[in-house]
Amino acid sequence: RRKRDAVGMVSRLYNFFFDYNNPNEALSYSIGRIQSKLALGLGAFDGAQVVYNFSPFIFGFSGGSQPNYRTSGIETINTRFSPFLHYQFHTEEQLHYEGTLAYTKQMREGKLDREFLYVQNSFSSSRLFNLYHSTEIDFNEIHNGSIEKKLRLTNTYLSLGSTPLDWLSLSAGYDATRNVYLFETNRSIADSLFDRTLQQGFRFSANVRLENGIALNGFSNIRIRENDTRKSVNNGLGVYMSNIYSSQINSGVRISLLKGLYANALTVGADVSREIFSGVNATLKAEQYSYELLNTSDTKHLTTVGLDISALVSSSLFIAGNIEKNFDVTANTIRIFFEIGYRF
């Protein structure tokens, strides 16, 4: 992946990992840039992960370094390790539960940067009810420049979903976030100046499936932060059509309105997709983004046009590519992305 940032510097981003996971064996492992499938809140890292399955429990241990968030390059200054325990239970009566408990310790140049506990739960009893929850609990807090032992809830996410009818799906979500002070990374910032106000978000969505492959989707997101002058609200609606007139063409249009703390915005988008050859799919998409800055009343526009192509060459080989062009008054950019995957 190659991109050019706002100041003209070119960055090249690479991801590579090797994963061994034989369902007939208890031990599996991964090496490279890893995103844990069992403990999603641990984030991506460059290193290794070992997992041992003694059903219904799964024990894992991961360790390595945190990638550079700006360039995605390998960086060894920030290291971490995370042992985790995963449990899963399910019955033939559609009752299903999965839970993960992980302890993570992050270091910067050998000194403590952050130490926290990650808890994740998912539960479903039928299509009428499914629940997902995750929470992060920090063990330490900074006070007047000194680290003190104190449990502190920093991130919580909760979502509920239901499909009461064959044609209707509903979901609702809530998240509560407090900024995390990293003891070494943020030490040049006085802890009294670090923003610790609570941010809360509420999400609602509904999906209605009509006849002839037509579906409607609507959503509303509300975010509130302590001491803000107004809340941020994002409402949207989309119409999607599949296999239009038996042509195997799928299409969708969407619109969303955003009222934020510093700007009002309108986004309009559309896409068309089709399998152009056996195993080869293409999607053409376009989006218009307009926003008004409240402090200046200026209105700005950004248009994006892109093409996605993916190909399943064989049962083992997968190839995908994307090209995206941004049209803006201040900067026109092109983003090109290429991905190849091989299953042994």
Side-chain angles (χ1 to χ4, degrees), residues 33-36 39-49 60-67 69 75-84 102-116 118 136:
R33 179 154 298 175
I34 301 168
Q35 175 77 53
S36 177
L40 300 176
L42 301 183
F45 64 95
D46 296 320
Q49 177 175 274
F61 182 88
S62 62
S65 60
Q66 176 183 290
Y69 284 141
E75 195 171 71
T76 59
I77 190 173
N78 296 308
T79 57
R80 43 158 286 187
F81 65 87
S82 300
F84 60 88
Y103 165 80
T104 299
K105 194 168 188 177
Q106 298 178 186
M107 311 293 288
R108 184 177 178 87
E109 295 183 322
K111 297 181 180 179
L112 178 65
D113 208 25
R114 188 188 180 199
E115 183 182 19
F116 68 97
Y118 174 76
E136 292 179 7

Side-chain angles (χ1 to χ4, degrees), residues 29-317:
Y29 56 89
S30 303
I31 301 173
R33 179 154 298 175
I34 301 168
Q35 175 77 53
S36 177
K37 298 177 181 179
L38 299 176
L40 300 176
L42 301 183
F45 64 95
D46 296 320
Q49 177 175 274
V50 178
V51 175
Y52 186 80
N53 187 346
F54 52 107
S55 186
F57 293 95
I58 299 175
F59 173 75
F61 182 88
S62 62
S65 60
Q66 176 183 290
N68 185 300
Y69 284 141
R70 183 170 179 268
T71 65
S72 193
I74 297 176
E75 195 171 71
T76 59
I77 190 173
N78 296 308
T79 57
R80 43 158 286 187
F81 65 87
S82 300
F84 60 88
L85 183 66
H86 181 83
Y87 173 80
Q88 56 185 4
F89 170 81
H90 61 86
T91 67
E92 296 180 356
E93 289 76 24
Q94 296 184 328
L95 183 66
H96 181 82
Y97 169 79
E98 288 191 38
T100 299
L101 179 65
Y103 165 80
T104 299
K105 194 168 188 177
Q106 298 178 186
M107 311 293 288
R108 184 177 178 87
E109 295 183 322
K111 297 181 180 179
L112 178 65
D113 208 25
R114 188 188 180 199
E115 183 182 19
F116 68 97
L117 194 69
Y118 174 76
V119 182
Q120 174 183 295
N121 296 284
S122 63
F123 173 82
S124 62
S125 57
S126 66
R127 71 176 192 174
L128 295 177
F129 179 80
N130 61 80
L131 175 146
Y132 174 84
H133 156 264
S134 66
T135 293
E136 292 179 7
I137 305 172
D138 279 57
F139 288 106
N140 307 288
E141 190 175 37
I142 194 78
H143 183 67
N144 293 330
S146 300
I147 299 175
E148 298 181 353
K149 287 289 184 182
K150 184 178 180 181
L151 294 179
R152 182 170 178 265
L153 200 66
T154 51
N155 294 297
T156 295
Y157 178 74
L158 177 68
S159 68
L160 299 171
S162 179
T163 307
L165 301 168
D166 291 337
W167 51 270
L168 177 64
S169 298
L170 304 170
S171 67
Y174 168 78
D175 69 84
T177 304
R178 293 185 186 274
N179 289 343
V180 178
Y181 185 94
L182 303 177
F183 305 129
E184 291 297 315
T185 303
N186 301 131
R187 65 178 176 176
S188 61
I189 304 173
D191 58 280
S192 59
L193 300 179
F194 199 79
D195 183 11
R196 299 188 180 191
T197 56
L198 176 65
Q199 302 177 60
Q200 299 182 82
F202 302 87
R203 301 177 177 87
F204 307 94
S205 68
N207 188 70
V208 179
R209 291 172 292 279
L210 306 177
E211 296 181 353
N212 301 318
I214 300 175
L216 305 178
N217 176 262
F219 68 87
S220 179
N221 300 329
I222 304 170
R223 178 159 289 280
I224 304 169
R225 188 173 65 176
E226 290 178 351
N227 303 322
D228 277 351
T229 56
R230 71 172 186 171
K231 59 180 177 289
S232 297
V233 181
N234 187 13
N235 298 317
L237 179 67
V239 181
Y240 305 91
M241 298 165 284
S242 60
N243 195 20
I244 302 173
Y245 295 111
S246 302
S247 63
Q248 299 183 9
I249 296 176
N250 308 309
S251 182
V253 294
R254 52 200 171 273
I255 182 172
S256 65
L257 297 170
L258 171 66
K259 183 182 76 171
L261 186 60
Y262 306 108
N264 294 324
L266 168 66
T267 303
V268 179
D271 61 75
V272 178
S273 63
R274 190 184 191 279
E275 184 179 43
I276 52 179
F277 302 106
S278 178
V280 180
N281 294 275
T283 300
L284 180 64
K285 53 189 179 182
E287 195 161 40
Q288 170 78 38
Y289 179 62
S290 304
Y291 59 95
E292 176 191 10
L293 301 176
L294 299 182
N295 58 343
T296 63
S297 297
D298 291 338
T299 300
K300 300 183 181 298
H301 304 279
L302 172 66
T303 301
T304 300
V305 177
L307 175 66
D308 297 335
I309 297 179
S310 62
L312 186 63
V313 180
S314 67
S315 60
S316 300
L317 182 61

